[in-house]
Amino acid sequence: GENVEQHPSTLSVQEGDSAVIKCTYSDSASNYFPWYKQELGKGPQLIIDIRSNVGEKKDQRIAVTLNKTAKHFSLHITETQPEDSAVYFCAASMITGNQFYFGTGTSLTVIP
Amino acid sequence: NAGVTQTPKFQVLKTGQSMTLQCAQDMNHEYMSWYRQDPGMGLRLIHYSVGAGITDQGEVPNGYNVSRSTTEDFPLRLLSAAPSQTSVYFCASSSASGGEETQYFGPGTRLLVL
């Protein structure tokens, strides 16, 4: 099955700086890559996703890039704010599939 | 809409006991799934369902049973609890499988097996 690796496991940035989280995947058949944000005591919430026919997608301060050849995708958060502090998960699946494979999570701390 | 609801929020079991984790959604979603979340391991899929009467195994199904008698409910049963099943359990739903639609997660059930 698919194997998703995520780095780093923890990340601390100063408020206003950028944060980058990287994931790699193993199955070239995967073509859908969502990112989730999980706040303490809550379930994960989708923040952005990308499909394999697109190389980059942006939504305000959040962007995701995808390199299909290298099988890696990244989450970029610009102008970080304290409310961005949370655990972020990447995932991979096939658009027509039934299973999602998650990375191990990145705990992001934004220092005011 | 309440979205995805899970009960209980927290449960303590003794080894060998059985219990059912409840999950319900009011969005008329066809696809529902159960994950467990363990430190350093992300979320791992236990079982999923693509519609009422249809269930299938995920990555880590051993020790768990599911059924889907209605579109709204997708309970997860622990047959004989073991300490290795201590985890946080999340239920999720979406209107379609795979990457067609957004998955919505419930708030989770924290389970401790002694």
Side-chain angles (χ1 to χ4, degrees):
Chain A
E2 173 69 278
N3 181 43
V4 178
E5 295 189 357
Q6 182 172 346
H7 299 281
S9 57
T10 60
L11 179 60
S12 292
V13 299
Q14 292 290 333
E15 181 177 359
D17 287 349
S18 295
V20 180
I21 302 170
K22 299 180 179 181
C23 289
T24 61
Y25 61 100
S26 61
D27 190 344
S28 57
S30 291
N31 54 11
Y32 175 65
F33 308 94
W35 285 89
Y36 291 86
K37 176 183 181 182
Q38 185 178 26
E39 297 176 338
L40 195 63
K42 296 184 179 180
Q45 183 175 13
L46 179 73
I47 56 172
I48 196 168
D49 58 11
I50 191 167
R51 290 172 171 77
S52 61
N53 58 347
V54 175
E56 182 174 0
K57 184 177 179 180
K58 190 173 182 179
D59 182 4
Q60 298 182 339
R61 297 186 296 108
I62 295 173
V64 57
T65 59
L66 171 65
N67 183 326
K68 287 173 54 180
T69 303
K71 295 201 200 66
H72 67 72
F73 56 112
S74 300
L75 177 71
H76 305 253
I77 305 174
T78 59
E79 302 173 20
T80 53
Q81 300 168 3
E83 51 265 39
D84 294 329
S85 296
V87 178
Y88 292 82
F89 290 97
C90 63
S93 79
M94 292 171 54
I95 289 177
T96 56
N98 292 317
Q99 300 199 31
F100 285 83
Y101 297 90
F102 283 80
T104 50
T106 296
S107 178
L108 172 64
T109 301
V110 180
I111 304 166
Chain B
N1 286 352
V4 180
T5 57
Q6 293 183 237
T7 56
K9 289 185 178 180
F10 181 72
Q11 182 73 47
V12 179
L13 290 179
K14 294 181 179 179
T15 297
Q17 287 184 316
S18 62
M19 80 160 294
T20 299
L21 280 65
Q22 301 293 342
C23 175
Q25 52 89 11
D26 61 359
M27 298 174 282
N28 202 32
H29 284 171
E30 290 295 325
Y31 181 84
M32 297 185 73
S33 54
W34 276 102
Y35 293 86
R36 59 177 290 172
Q37 183 176 33
D38 302 294
M41 300 190 74
L43 291 96
R44 292 181 293 167
L45 182 65
I46 304 171
H47 285 285
Y48 65 93
S49 168
V50 298
I54 305 170
T55 63
D56 207 344
Q57 297 180 351
E59 194 179 347
V60 288
N62 292 342
Y64 307 95
N65 272 0
V66 292
S67 60
R68 185 91 181 273
S69 56
T70 66
T71 299
E72 294 77 22
D73 300 298
F74 191 43
L76 178 72
R77 297 182 185 84
L78 280 69
L79 307 174
S80 177
S84 61
Q85 294 179 304
T86 292
S87 187
V88 181
Y89 292 85
F90 289 100
C91 178
S93 76
S94 64
S95 58
S97 62
E100 295 290 339
E101 299 292 339
T102 301
Q103 274 204 111
Y104 295 89
F105 283 82
T109 293
R110 187 174 297 273
L111 177 66
L112 175 62
V113 182
L114 301 174

